[in-house]
Amino acid sequence: MSSLLDTLLAQATGLPSVATSNTHTQSTDPQVASLGWPLNRPPDSELAPPTAQQDVFKAFSNAGFPQMTARVCRESFQSSDAFCIWLCYSDLNNEYGNGGWGPTPLSPTPPPYSIQPVSGYGLGIVANRPIKTGETILIERPIAIYPANITSNSMHTNGQWGAIEDMYETVFPVLGETEKSVYMELWNCKPLTGTLGNKFTGIARTNGLHIRFTRSQFLPSYAGVFPSISRCNHCCGPNADTSFDEDTMSMRLFALRPIAAGEQVTIGYVVTFLPAMFRQAELQQKYLFTCECKHCKPTVASTPSRPLKHPYWASSAGGILSSVSPSDQRRCIQIAFRTEHAQKMWVEWISPSSKDTDRAFFDFHEDALVVLAQEGLEHTRIDHIAYLAHGCAALGDADGFKRWGNVLISLSAWTHGKEGVLQMKAWQDWVREPTFSPAWGLRVRSKAKGKQKCLA
Ligand SMILES: [Zn+2]
């Protein structure tokens, strides 16, 4: 296998049985982190749960080998029925929802979608009216949550999932009648191997979406099963994304691009930067289906759509270019390359010794937006839009900053919850007064410094 594909596979730190968003490869440079959200967020390699045996062991060891307990989530102590069973490690036993979780956060009414049969998919979520980019489609709470990493319990006759099945079976009756029936009607792609209990974990593992509880220092990754959002089918160019708020225990599903009435709402279950054959292998292994989206259709190999000059192409990509489909080329090479180099490019561009032209900087990110739109990977575009806005600010271009800042705001791709409110507020403030933005004048000042150096 080529070294590029090795790199791409190494980036695929996806969960073994939990749908995960795309992996961003950048680590956060302090000069980039100072630009604020979204460029200051930690790399996804840190956000994804560990998968290598020794990393999993280390996480458990650091957490003091916590026991798993079943937490019952209710709106208040007066509520008779629970809305969720949370199989939770003891480090979070006294965190979150201690006075009850409060009422369910409001979801749009009437809902802009319906759950209905979709040809080739079973049930799916379908828009019942046009949905705008950034619009919230629905907000809901999970019915079940389980840890992304579980300790192996060799004592149990049914292996490590056996213990979880037992816990589910014991606590399942506390759920409300609606939650119980909605849960049991969800799809189970895992084989039933004899015990009835398998169905609980089979449904959990088929429908779990990655969520994080950040108050756990070492084991923050869990998976949640949601009544409707878990009905979202997969596409390698998804038109929607999810964001979880740990304080209200709720997930928001929102549109990444305009969705037409009658169109299916989709999310990504696997790392979409990977070539189609690796995506297919992962989907087959975890969910037992073959994706037939347009990005997975076999297409003839072609040469790159633009000349690739960086040494990175020559060293690693050259050998495989002739044998990959145009979609794989765009995802695994053009998009992955830009994701990997965006930070370095910013740091270089704002330094007094920079050799890059302003045009090269803006082309790099504007081209990225074109390629991302071609591949339906809009969920990774916020970084490029943020760089374009900060690039304008660095040049002292208030109108340019406002233009890109407003684009970013319109996507409403904020982190859900309190953190998201702060992110939104910061961008709204900067758009109102661009001179307050963190990159204001950076390039102008460094160009002046560069000139002084030349004259000295
Ligand atoms: Zn596909």
Side-chain angles (χ1 to χ4, degrees):
M1 194 189 299
S2 79
S3 58
L4 174 70
L5 291 185
D6 278 341
T7 313
L8 290 164
L9 266 188
Q11 288 166 13
T13 51
L15 315 179
S17 58
V18 180
T20 176
S21 295
N22 275 285
T23 298
H24 296 263
T25 53
Q26 72 265 37
S27 61
T28 314
D29 182 281
Q31 291 195 68
V32 172
S34 69
L35 300 175
W37 185 89
L39 302 176
N40 64 351
R41 68 185 190 281
D44 281 2
S45 53
E46 277 172 32
L47 297 178
T51 48
Q53 206 61 43
Q54 71 269 27
D55 296 339
V56 173
F57 181 81
K58 201 172 149 204
F60 274 105
S61 164
N62 285 335
F65 296 100
Q67 292 296 307
M68 196 192 295
T69 53
R71 284 189 66 175
V72 174
C73 306
R74 292 185 162 89
E75 287 193 8
S76 77
F77 293 130
Q78 280 75 45
S79 322
S80 53
D81 291 336
F83 65 81
C84 177
I85 299 165
W86 179 6
L87 302 188
C88 175
Y89 284 122
S90 49
D91 62 336
L92 288 182
N93 266 353
N94 298 316
E95 298 286 346
Y96 303 104
N98 287 331
W101 288 86
T104 309
L106 292 178
S107 194
T109 46
Y113 69 90
S114 54
I115 293 174
Q116 59 185 71
V118 180
S119 166
Y121 287 92
L123 290 178
I125 293 195
V126 177
N128 58 19
R129 61 157 170 82
I131 299 172
K132 289 202 264 312
T133 304
E135 200 178 324
T136 297
I137 301 166
L138 96 111
I139 297 176
E140 68 181 359
R141 284 182 156 156
I143 304 176
I145 302 176
Y146 62 97
N149 288 116
I150 55 175
T151 40
S152 57
N153 187 340
S154 54
M155 304 296 283
H156 201 284
T157 46
N158 289 333
Q160 53 186 10
W161 285 100
I164 292 200
E165 275 163 32
D166 288 352
M167 289 178 108
Y168 264 123
E169 295 227 34
T170 311
V171 239
F172 199 71
V174 305
L175 283 173
E177 290 308 314
T178 315
E179 282 80 4
K180 274 185 223 165
S181 64
V182 168
Y183 186 88
M184 293 311 282
E185 278 164 18
L186 287 169
W187 177 242
N188 177 16
C189 77
K190 307 287 176 188
L192 287 172
T193 49
T195 69
L196 181 67
N198 253 339
K199 191 157 186 197
F200 294 117
T201 55
I203 289 174
R205 294 167 69 199
T206 305
N207 295 279
L209 297 171
H210 186 209
I211 57 180
R212 279 171 64 82
F213 289 96
T214 56
R215 288 183 216 161
S216 173
Q217 202 184 343
F218 301 108
L219 292 164
S221 289
Y222 285 78
V225 179
F226 294 82
S228 301
I229 299 179
S230 288
R231 295 271 183 203
C232 263
N233 290 310
H234 165 86
C235 177
C236 299
N239 57 19
D241 201 359
T242 54
S243 123
F244 183 70
D245 177 16
E246 55 188 349
D247 291 311
T248 57
M249 179 80 93
S250 63
M251 188 75 115
R252 177 171 72 112
L253 178 71
F254 64 100
L256 290 166
R257 55 176 182 264
I259 302 174
E263 192 184 335
Q264 188 181 193
V265 177
T266 53
I267 56 174
Y269 291 0
V270 295
V271 179
T272 43
F273 284 150
L274 289 176
M277 64 178 286
F278 292 113
R279 297 198 302 271
Q280 293 289 6
E282 200 181 343
L283 289 167
Q284 194 53 248
Q285 187 216 333
K286 291 183 191 169
Y287 305 102
L288 307 181
F289 73 86
T290 304
C291 181
E292 291 183 357
C293 80
K294 66 174 183 181
H295 308 287
C296 287
K297 293 252 161 70
T299 44
V300 289
S302 78
T303 48
S305 56
R306 63 180 63 248
L308 306 171
K309 288 186 188 136
H310 192 276
Y312 180 81
W313 311 121
S315 59
S316 32
I320 57 158
L321 271 185
S322 56
S323 61
V324 299
S325 74
S327 168
D328 280 352
Q329 264 180 41
R330 287 190 287 264
R331 282 166 192 248
C332 311
I333 302 171
Q334 301 200 34
I335 294 172
F337 169 79
R338 287 187 169 89
T339 305
E340 193 170 324
H341 290 269
Q343 289 215 355
K344 254 190 269 170
M345 184 168 215
W346 174 261
V347 174
E348 158 65 19
W349 187 63
I350 56 162
S351 89
S353 59
S354 168
K355 305 256 185 318
D356 285 339
T357 62
D358 296 342
R359 197 60 260 161
F361 174 84
F362 286 95
D363 279 352
F364 182 91
H365 293 291
E366 284 173 12
D367 287 356
L369 296 182
V370 174
V371 183
L372 287 171
Q374 272 178 295
E375 288 302 305
L377 294 178
E378 282 87 353
H379 58 299
T380 59
R381 77 189 148 180
I382 45 172
D383 289 17
H384 295 290
I385 294 171
Y387 276 118
L388 287 164
H390 290 305
C392 293
L395 290 170
D397 171 6
D399 289 342
F401 181 84
K402 284 183 185 182
R403 194 169 60 243
W404 286 113
N406 278 323
V407 172
L408 188 70
I409 289 168
S410 74
L411 303 181
S412 91
W414 323 110
T415 306
H416 197 18
K418 287 177 209 140
E419 214 184 321
V421 172
L422 294 177
Q423 292 158 357
M424 179 171 69
K425 205 178 161 309
W427 276 93
Q428 284 170 339
D429 288 347
W430 295 339
V431 163
R432 220 170 291 129
E433 187 41 75
T435 59
F436 291 167
S437 71
W440 188 256
L442 279 183
R443 172 90 169 154
V444 177
R445 289 196 293 278
S446 70
K447 270 184 185 169
K449 254 191 223 160
K451 244 183 218 155
Q452 267 175 5
K453 255 192 197 158
C454 288
L455 294 173

